[in-house]
Amino acid sequence: MIKTARQQAIVQLLKSQQSVTTAALAAELAVSVETIRRDLNALQMQGKIIRRHGRARTLADGSEPFRARLKSHYADKADIARHALNWVEAGMTLALDASSTCFHLARQLPDIPLTVFTNSLPVCEVMARRQHSELICSGGRLARGERCYVNPALASLLKSLEIDLFIFSCEGIDGNGEMWDSTRHNAAFKSALLRRAQQSLLLIDKSKFYRASEASIGNLSQVTQMITDAPHP
């Protein structure tokens, strides 16, 4: 079965069964697990599926992953982002990830002198309208489904930046305090910024606790502070 036909078959299987494991897809289509993982990566980049650790499902409403995330826990995320404003001061250099929560934050940021570095297309679109802020985009290849940029030269780019505060979210935190993301490139971006920034601020809603995903970002012990609506994180 050629790649395009196989990926179409994967989407149809996910539609009929809601959620399927990687191993089950490999057995059904008589290919290796690695081949299925490559197909799932491609489908995720196209905005056709959502992946969780070892499983995949289609988007019920046909939306892009970013748009689906933006709708999920909308009010909670907006409120968490509002609390993050207390950390922001004029003259700072901020780094924002491509999460929907950071998009909420960008929309609420006051138009004051700031330098904002991000890999998020929606955050770039918001910050481009600010008159007093300097915007630095990570650049690279645009992952349309996630609406973020993937730049293999990120490490070199960060050498010229002094990040005061990295603000980010993640797909989940497991019982050991490990933070997870759904894609390796986003996890790598967050890991790099965690190491580079003077301080870090994790914005996470209550639905994300005791969850894992595809790629590890690092441990919660690396984070300066966390803002959440969970009663006992």
Side-chain angles (χ1 to χ4, degrees), residues 1-14:
M1 183 182 292
I2 62 173
K3 181 170 66 174
T4 302
R6 188 174 62 245
Q7 290 179 3
Q8 290 174 346
I10 288 171
V11 171
Q12 291 305 313
L13 284 168
L14 292 177

Side-chain angles (χ1 to χ4, degrees), residues 18-182:
Q18 301 300 315
S19 177
V20 185
T21 65
T22 305
L25 287 170
E28 178 72 23
L29 298 174
V31 294
S32 70
V33 170
E34 282 304 312
T35 296
I36 291 296
R37 284 176 180 158
R38 287 193 293 269
D39 286 337
L40 292 176
N41 284 336
L43 291 168
Q44 183 171 264
M45 294 286 286
Q46 296 166 30
K48 294 181 178 178
I49 66 168
I50 289 177
R51 297 180 70 185
R52 291 292 181 263
H53 190 56
R55 305 186 72 86
R57 68 176 176 84
T58 56
L59 288 165
D61 61 358
S63 303
E64 293 178 347
F66 177 82
R67 291 177 180 170
R69 286 186 283 119
L70 191 59
K71 294 176 183 177
S72 175
H73 298 271
Y74 185 98
D76 295 335
K77 291 176 180 179
D79 192 51
I80 289 168
R82 180 175 58 81
H83 287 289
L85 294 174
N86 294 327
W87 283 66
V88 177
E89 297 179 357
M92 293 180 76
T93 296
L94 306 178
L96 304 182
D97 76 348
S99 64
S100 55
T101 309
C102 275
F103 174 67
H104 284 294
L105 174 63
R107 295 175 67 181
Q108 297 180 52
L109 281 174
D111 192 3
I112 59 176
L114 292 170
T115 298
V116 176
F117 173 73
T118 187
N119 66 332
S120 166
L121 176 59
V123 171
C124 283
E125 291 171 343
V126 170
M127 296 308 301
R129 297 192 288 270
R130 298 288 197 272
Q131 297 299 311
H132 299 97
S133 296
E134 180 180 3
L135 173 62
I136 303 174
C137 177
S138 67
R141 174 179 56 84
L142 177 63
R144 286 183 171 83
E146 300 158 81
R147 303 193 73 191
C148 73
Y149 294 99
V150 182
N151 189 348
L154 178 65
S156 177
L157 178 60
L158 288 177
K159 289 179 181 178
S160 64
L161 291 174
E162 294 293 333
I163 306 295
D164 296 309
L165 179 63
F166 173 42
I167 307 177
F168 71 109
S169 188
C170 64
E171 286 291 311
I173 301 175
D174 67 20
N176 296 316
E178 286 295 307
M179 300 178 292
W180 295 86
D181 209 283
S182 58

